[in-house]
Amino acid sequence: YDTQEYRVIGTPAWASSERYDVTFTADKSEISPDPKMPPNDLRAHMNRNKQRMQAVLRDRFGLVLRSEMRNLPVYKLTVAKNGLKLPLHDSAQLGPWPMQNNRSGHLISKAVTLEMIARNLSDQLDRPVIDETQLKGEYDFSLEWARHPDLSPDGFPSIFAALPDQLGLRLESSKGPVQVYVVEKLQRPSEN
């Protein structure tokens, strides 16, 4: 469903602790994605696989969801008062795909939009981040922060301090409409 776990509400406790191996075969054979594949073809491939996984969840787990909007805590991503520090992407440096290499406390990005940055920050913070910068374009950057500032011996700042200092962006706590999925039905799958 291309959503974060915090946007799924009403999941039974067993679904968060039990693990399953799910294997399925596509109804049609497909070419595996490669770096030369055009971005639209890659997105189409990924969308088909999402639809297949949704069918497996519906057929094998009896999953029934409903989508609704709820007013929840969010972060608004804006330009910091000292201005943007994001360098524009040089298209000669990379092929057709944006790249984000994310490991704990370090994000390296090439050819990414502010919308993609907001999505990545949402994953890091377990809260929706809404891009309100109104900036278009693709950017390259490296961002380092302490995942747990109180336990950080290396002296890296929190993500809230790192964003304005390193990228010229800031996060502002707010509330806003968030699409969530409410689990109406989910059952343990039977064996094959």
Side-chain angles (χ1 to χ4, degrees), residues 150-163:
D150 298 340
L151 307 173
S152 178
D154 51 18
F156 286 117
S158 74
I159 196 159
F160 298 97
L163 278 167

Side-chain angles (χ1 to χ4, degrees), residues 31-42:
I31 298 171
S32 296
D34 68 55
K36 296 177 184 172
M37 181 181 274
N40 287 342
D41 291 349
L42 177 64

Side-chain angles (χ1 to χ4, degrees), residues 138-155:
E138 297 174 340
Y139 301 90
D140 297 343
F141 67 90
S142 177
L143 176 67
E144 290 186 283
W145 72 96
R147 292 282 300 188
H148 305 286
D150 298 340
L151 307 173
S152 178
D154 51 18

